[in-house]
Amino acid sequence: MRYIIIGAGAIGATIGGLLAQAGGEVVLVARGPHADALRADGLRLTTADGTRVHRLPVIGGPQALGELRPDDVLLLTVKTQDAIAALDAWGDAEVTGGGTAAQRLPLVCAQNGVESERLALRRFDRVYGLCVWLPASFLEPGAVSALGSPHPGILHLGRAAGGADERARRIVADLAKAGFEAVLTEDVMRWKYAKLLGNLGNAVQATTGPEPDPAKGALLLRAIREAKAAFAAAGIAHASEAEQSQARDGKAEQPPGVRGGSSWQSLRRGTGSIEADYLNGEISLLGRLHGIPTPVNDVLRHAANIFAREGLPPGSMSVEDLTALADEAEARA
């Protein structure tokens, strides 16, 4: 199978680079200065084993490939706010032998949150979810770092609508060969909803900084309590903390040091957008649909979007000010 990585950022470049290192055929989809750097100097990927340069094909869209191959796998790793444009661009691409990518090819959604699968299922026949536990950094064009050990990351894969099939087994086998702790699961969305709980803190980290602080942890716990109440009202199951610990403990350990997550990195690179609408905003949506107040998540989503829209430096807000806004919103609710 050839893997087409649609969005060669921190996650996409790590997965693509390691698949290629294991002998897989990989094409990276990127744009702007990052694409220029990848073409000129290759992908500089740093893992716990050191830094390697991967010289891979880099394209801007499906037109550069001509007709796609029946054995292609589309791995969607753009941020969710960019997913619709990517799905529209790739869904209509023609496949050798007839039909389009949306009709014939597997699409694997590897984003935080749970919305990309729903967006993809409107367009693609064969949609898979990938729950990604892969701390990685992408702060400069052409360079990505993923320092987990003994595995760079933990990946749970299954059909987005539930179940697993032979194609999913083959993808999991390729990911395992590339060094990941890759797990085939029939309830991948239950894992993605569980990961969403932790990602509610992305907005806290983006606005107040990645440094540990008890006040930041307390704010995250308040957001998680709202989310669990919304999940319960909506009848949404998620993997338990015990399950997550069993799946992750000791399998992708990070070296000491403070690292900013994906939302912090988006602000650091000045992308002008952030994924908060699909993280904290997912909880706000569920709350509004099922009558559950979500003032803390509302505040976190709003604050993160202001930072992205106005280009404010990541971490430039005090956690005390952010907590005060949450307190006020909670009192009004």
Side-chain angles (χ1 to χ4, degrees), residues 239-289:
S240 67
E241 292 180 8
E243 287 177 284
Q244 293 180 76
S245 294
Q246 183 177 9
R248 294 171 180 163
D249 287 356
K251 295 180 180 178
E253 297 297 314
Q254 302 293 303
V258 176
R259 296 171 189 82
S262 58
S263 296
W264 182 89
Q265 292 176 42
S266 292
L267 295 181
R268 178 69 174 76
R269 297 197 310 273
T271 62
S273 69
I274 200 165
E275 58 194 334
D277 284 347
Y278 302 100
L279 303 178
N280 307 94
E282 180 69 29
I283 307 309
S284 298
L285 170 63
L286 291 173
R288 289 163 187 152
L289 289 174

Side-chain angles (χ1 to χ4, degrees), residues 201-317:
N202 285 24
V204 178
Q205 192 181 83
T207 54
T208 68
E211 301 79 12
D213 187 311
K216 297 176 187 179
L219 198 53
L220 171 57
L221 287 177
R222 290 167 65 181
I224 290 175
R225 282 196 294 269
E226 291 180 357
K228 288 183 175 180
F231 286 177
I236 293 171
H238 58 89
S240 67
E241 292 180 8
E243 287 177 284
Q244 293 180 76
S245 294
Q246 183 177 9
R248 294 171 180 163
D249 287 356
K251 295 180 180 178
E253 297 297 314
Q254 302 293 303
V258 176
R259 296 171 189 82
S262 58
S263 296
W264 182 89
Q265 292 176 42
S266 292
L267 295 181
R268 178 69 174 76
R269 297 197 310 273
T271 62
S273 69
I274 200 165
E275 58 194 334
D277 284 347
Y278 302 100
L279 303 178
N280 307 94
E282 180 69 29
I283 307 309
S284 298
L285 170 63
L286 291 173
R288 289 163 187 152
L289 289 174
H290 299 282
I292 302 298
T294 59
V296 175
N297 282 285
D298 296 343
V299 163
L300 297 182
R301 184 197 67 80
H302 184 62
N305 278 318
I306 288 175
F307 266 67
R309 184 171 60 249
E310 299 186 4
L312 301 177
S316 58
M317 185 178 194

Side-chain angles (χ1 to χ4, degrees), residues 51 118-119 164 206 210 214 228:
T51 299
R118 296 191 293 233
L119 295 171
K228 288 183 175 180

Side-chain angles (χ1 to χ4, degrees), residues 15-192:
I15 294 176
L18 292 178
L19 282 170
Q21 186 172 314
E25 186 176 0
V26 174
V27 175
L28 302 180
V29 182
R31 59 188 180 184
H34 185 46
D36 295 339
L38 292 172
R39 291 189 183 102
D41 303 315
L43 166 64
R44 192 165 75 255
L45 177 61
T46 301
T47 68
D49 296 326
T51 299
R52 293 187 62 165
V53 175
H54 301 273
R55 297 192 176 276
L56 303 171
V58 180
I59 62 173
Q63 296 79 12
L65 289 178
E67 286 190 344
L68 301 180
R69 301 185 335 207
D71 65 345
D72 283 338
V73 176
L74 306 181
L75 187 65
L76 187 68
T77 51
V78 297
K79 292 290 183 5
T80 305
Q81 61 267 28
D82 299 318
I84 290 178
L87 291 168
D88 287 345
W90 285 89
D92 290 335
E94 295 182 357
V95 179
T96 299
T100 66
Q103 294 169 326
R104 295 187 56 194
L105 299 185
L107 177 85
V108 180
C109 296
Q111 295 96 338
N112 290 329
V114 295
E115 183 64 19
S116 284
E117 287 79 4
R118 296 191 293 233
L119 295 171
L121 284 166
R122 290 176 169 86
R123 297 163 170 81
F124 280 74
D125 286 345
R126 298 167 179 83
V127 179
Y128 299 80
L130 188 67
C131 183
V132 178
W133 180 259
L134 201 176
S137 297
F138 166 41
L139 296 176
E140 62 177 283
V144 170
S145 174
L147 300 176
S149 178
H151 303 282
I154 303 161
L155 308 175
H156 285 71
L157 177 77
R159 290 184 66 92
D165 57 17
E166 182 58 30
R167 182 59 63 93
R169 292 183 181 89
R170 291 177 61 193
I171 296 171
V172 164
D174 283 349
L175 293 171
K177 183 180 177 182
F180 296 99
E181 173 75 3
V183 181
L184 182 69
T185 179
E186 296 193 353
D187 57 356
V188 68
M189 298 311 295
R190 196 171 67 93
W191 287 91
K192 296 200 75 166

